[in-house]
Amino acid sequence: DGLLKKAKGEVDVRYIGTVNKRALPWYQKTSRPLKIGASIGHFKITAGTLGGFVRDRGDGRIFMLSNNHVFANENRARVGDAILQPGRFDGGNDPGDRVGTLARFVRLKKARPNAVDSAVAAIEPDIDFDARSLTGIGKLVGLGDAMLDDGDLVRKVGRTTGVTDGRVTAFELDNVMVAYDIGTIRFDDQIEIEGAGSEAFSQGGDSGSLIVNGQRRAVAQLFAGGDVGGANGKGLTYATPIHAVLDALKVDLYTG
């Protein structure tokens, strides 16, 4: 009232609540133990997302899971290259933030359709990891069904957008053309997802995210997206059925 009187009514008073500093979310910072959804990447890329943990079907080793373009720099990396957490764009450096090394990847092919964009990395012996926590969602229960259907509700936690909800809009989708640094690459038998609310399901940097269903079971791996389309106009996300990813890499989902 005193302000209004002194300003002779020519003042706009608004309640804005407590003003806080703008801090980075946890998934863009150092995460120890390693957690699903955290920033990660090959030492030469910007940053992607740690999609989870898997067990080798041969020798039983535990690996970190993400995309080829996150761990293997679109075929340009070598086995043994450093993997950083957080990713380089989020301040990660080698060797201080090295948490693993590239173990193997499925090569991206330009001459014929691809089924997956996936890679695994070995974990450094002194690095702890949490194979079950989906921060903001709950605990990863295990592996979901091999098939998804139109309208199925899904969730993910990723390096850029954190926890988001989505809706499957297409499955067994062929001729998904994705622009990479090495060229435009075709993918077949993929899943299309739109944001279930007013926001996009994913943005750049969410690549590699593990997508789960309503029962917190893994169903897909996120690898690409665009800024146009979807019911809310915020873009569409593309993901690979998780069973195809695991079979291509010869690994099984690990939940501890």
Side-chain angles (χ1 to χ4, degrees), residues 102-115:
L102 179 63
R104 63 173 173 265
F105 58 95
V106 180
R107 294 191 66 83
L108 296 170
K109 304 176 289 290
K110 292 189 285 186
R112 59 184 187 274
N114 293 260

Side-chain angles (χ1 to χ4, degrees), residues 145-195:
D145 293 337
M147 296 295 296
L148 289 173
D149 204 352
D150 284 347
D152 284 354
L153 299 179
V154 293
R155 309 186 81 185
K156 74 100 184 68
V157 54
R159 173 261 166 206
T160 303
T161 56
V163 176
T164 56
D165 297 304
R167 181 183 298 107
V168 173
T169 51
F171 61 98
E172 297 182 346
L173 188 62
D174 292 341
N175 294 302
V176 178
M177 307 302 291
V178 181
Y180 286 81
D181 293 342
I182 60 174
T184 300
I185 297 176
R186 173 183 164 180
F187 289 83
D188 285 353
D189 199 20
Q190 303 300 307
I191 300 165
E192 182 182 85
I193 300 167
E194 66 180 14

Side-chain angles (χ1 to χ4, degrees), residues 213-236:
N213 61 18
Q215 293 73 49
R216 302 191 306 279
R217 292 186 176 275
V219 293
Q221 181 188 39
L222 194 157
F223 75 98
D227 299 327
V228 178
N232 62 13
K234 297 295 185 177
L236 293 165

